[in-house]
């Protein structure tokens, strides 16, 4: 297979890109948000600050799911483009070989040509041998005509492949621009959330649960009538071995940091954790929350069993894995690691049983 040169591409999800966006947005952020105005920010109570921080995190997560979907489409487009280029290269190799064969035929005809076939027959010392040769030439001409037709067909196929590649490349560039816009939205909202959260004292953050997860997790345990659900009881109640395996994976990732766009093994966003957990159980799930909710059989809240996927907010922008007793494992947001929490802490939107 002929090698073809592909333009180098820099990852849009790398740490350098995120750092660049964060620095640029941090420098451009105003005291009140993103409109560049400089009027004074109103005084907010700690509870109001916490509510605004939660709102920004939820908006950032919605943008993250949009980013995850665009990233999945971008990766697929890159793969399709690579396949088209490889196929065009293979067909170009075949075309070159066919052209070489036609060139050899033409050269042979040039060397052997000259006399009219009727005159050659008249001058031949052995007419029978000549007629046998003429029949061979006719067959050769037929073969040559077929070779020419083959070359024309290969040219048409290669042009079709190149046209498809041009369309794919245009779509890829559009998705890459969309990724950049989503990155700016996400990093801007996260920067603003961190800036607001920094106005709270350590005691206020602990009281309100904006403390990296420790405060809220401990309150979750205290607020749950029967406490947190153990791995053993959760897997025992799971509807199947694959759900149990996914739960086991999720439990093993408790304490892992939230990083938007991450699918493990050391960091996750909400849908990335769910995808990784079920991938470990041999089940391939879509990348985004709004696709994951349709990846299995819908179940009601009263039917929930450990291993079910639970979704939140009207836009289906957050997901967790149900573990029983009204609790779930999820990757909340950058302020908190992967943890166990009540499903009541967010607006419930639906549930799906994958297996």
């Amino acid at each position: 297979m002929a090698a073809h040169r592909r333009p180098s591409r820099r990852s849009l999800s790398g740490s350098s890109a995120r750092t660049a966006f964060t620095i640029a947005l941090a420098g451009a952020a105003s005291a009140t948000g993103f409109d560049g105005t400089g009027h004074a920010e109103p005084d907010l109570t700690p509870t109001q600050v916490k509510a605004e921080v939660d709102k920004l995190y939820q908006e950032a997560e919605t943008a993250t799911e949009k980013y995850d979907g665009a990233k999945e489409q971008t990766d697929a487009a890159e793969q399709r483009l690579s396949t088209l280029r490889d196929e065009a290269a293979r067909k170009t190799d075949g075309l070159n070989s066919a052209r070489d064969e036609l060139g050899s035929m033409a050269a042979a005809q040039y060397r052997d040509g000259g006399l009219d076939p009727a005159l050659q027959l008249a001058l031949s010392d052995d007419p029978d041998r000549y007629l046998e040769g003429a029949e061979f030439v006719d067959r050769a001409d037929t073969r040559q005509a077929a070779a020419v037709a083959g070359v024309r067909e290969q040219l048409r196929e290669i042009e079709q492949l190149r046209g498809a590649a041009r369309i794919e490349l245009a779509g890829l560039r559009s998705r890459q621009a969309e990724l950049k816009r989503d990155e700016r939205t996400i990093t801007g909202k996260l920067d603003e959330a961190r800036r607001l959260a920094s106005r709270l004292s350590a005691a206020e953050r602990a009281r309100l649960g904006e403390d990296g997860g420790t405060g809220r997790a401990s309150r979750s345990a205290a607020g749950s009538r029967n406490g947190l659900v153990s791995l053993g009881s959760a897997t025992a109640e799971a509807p199947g071995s694959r759900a149990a395996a996914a739960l086991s994976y999720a439990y093993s990732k408790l304490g892992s940091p939230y990083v938007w766009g991450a699918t493990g093994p050391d960091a996750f966003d909400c849908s990335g954790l769910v995808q990784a957990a079920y991938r470990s159980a041999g089940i391939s799930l879509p990348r985004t929350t709004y696709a994951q909710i349709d990846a299995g059989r819908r179940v009601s809240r009263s039917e929930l069993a450990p291993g079910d996927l639970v979704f939140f907010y009207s836009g289906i922008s957050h997901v967790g894995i149900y573990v029983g007793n009204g609790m779930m494992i999820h990757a909340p947001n950058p302020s908190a690691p992967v943890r166990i929490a009540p499903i009541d802490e967010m607006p419930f939107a639906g549930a799906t049983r994958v297996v």
Side-chain angles (χ1 to χ4, degrees):
M1 179 181 74
H4 59 271
R5 183 171 297 174
R6 300 187 180 95
S8 63
R9 295 186 294 270
R10 294 184 179 179
S11 171
L12 293 172
S13 58
S15 60
S16 60
R18 294 183 187 174
T19 301
F21 282 124
T22 301
I23 292 172
L25 286 161
S30 70
T32 56
F34 310 111
D35 59 2
T37 57
H39 54 79
E41 185 174 55
D43 289 333
L44 300 174
T45 67
T47 300
Q48 289 173 325
V49 170
K50 176 62 170 57
E52 183 63 21
V53 167
D54 285 346
K55 177 175 177 288
L56 286 164
Y57 278 143
Q58 200 272 317
E59 290 173 351
E61 189 162 55
T62 299
T64 295
E65 290 304 310
K66 185 172 181 290
Y67 169 91
D68 290 343
K71 182 66 168 61
E72 186 176 47
Q73 292 175 348
T74 299
D75 291 344
E78 288 178 339
Q79 182 59 51
R80 288 193 300 270
L81 181 59
S82 177
T83 299
L84 286 169
R85 286 172 168 167
D86 286 345
E87 182 66 15
R90 283 194 294 271
K91 287 189 177 296
T92 299
D93 274 353
L95 174 63
N96 291 337
S97 297
R99 281 173 166 166
D100 289 343
E101 183 179 352
L102 278 177
S104 298
M105 289 182 182
Q109 284 184 353
Y110 179 79
R111 288 193 302 268
D112 299 337
L115 291 177
D116 179 84
L119 184 57
Q120 290 185 43
L121 178 59
L123 297 176
S124 174
D125 293 333
D126 188 346
D128 290 337
R129 181 176 294 177
Y130 170 80
L131 290 172
E132 290 174 0
E135 184 180 356
F136 173 79
V137 170
D138 286 341
R139 289 198 301 270
D141 288 344
T142 300
R143 188 175 73 252
Q144 180 176 335
V148 171
V151 166
R152 288 174 176 167
E153 177 63 18
Q154 289 178 74
L155 281 168
R156 186 185 65 80
E157 291 175 353
I158 290 170
E159 185 53 38
Q160 286 180 336
L161 286 169
R162 287 173 177 169
R166 285 192 292 270
I167 293 171
E168 199 66 63
L169 181 59
L172 176 59
R173 287 171 175 166
S174 175
R175 292 185 182 97
Q176 288 172 334
E178 182 182 357
L179 285 178
K180 289 181 179 179
R181 290 192 297 270
D182 291 342
E183 284 182 337
R184 286 193 292 267
T185 299
I186 294 164
T187 54
K189 290 183 180 297
L190 293 181
D191 286 346
E192 179 68 359
R194 293 186 190 101
R195 186 188 66 78
L196 279 173
S198 69
R199 297 172 59 186
L200 300 173
S201 67
E204 288 171 334
R205 287 197 297 273
R207 180 172 61 83
L208 295 169
E210 191 63 38
D211 60 349
T214 304
R216 187 180 297 178
S218 61
R219 286 204 319 282
S220 296
S224 177
R225 182 172 300 173
N226 297 314
L228 298 180
V229 181
S230 70
L231 171 61
S233 61
T235 55
E237 296 174 16
S241 59
R242 289 187 170 183
L247 280 167
S248 180
Y249 181 93
Y251 268 91
S252 75
K253 298 304 177 179
L254 287 172
S256 299
Y258 177 104
V259 174
W260 64 268
T263 59
D266 302 316
F268 305 87
D269 62 20
C270 69
S271 56
L273 175 64
V274 166
Q275 187 185 51
Y278 270 94
R279 183 172 58 238
S280 75
I283 295 176
S284 177
L285 290 181
R287 178 65 182 91
T288 62
T289 52
Y290 43 83
Q292 288 173 353
I293 195 171
D294 293 322
R297 179 175 67 85
R298 296 288 186 94
V299 294
S300 68
R301 184 164 177 161
S302 63
E303 296 175 296
L304 285 175
D308 290 347
L309 309 185
V310 283
F311 298 88
F312 303 91
Y313 300 106
S314 59
I316 317 297
S317 60
H318 190 78
V319 63
I321 302 176
Y322 190 67
V323 297
N325 197 31
M327 309 294 284
M328 66 177 169
I329 294 178
H330 72 141
N333 57 56
S335 75
V338 175
R339 65 186 184 184
I340 296 176
I343 63 173
D344 287 333
E345 73 175 13
M346 290 175 286
F348 184 81
T352 291
R353 183 163 300 159
V354 177
V355 291

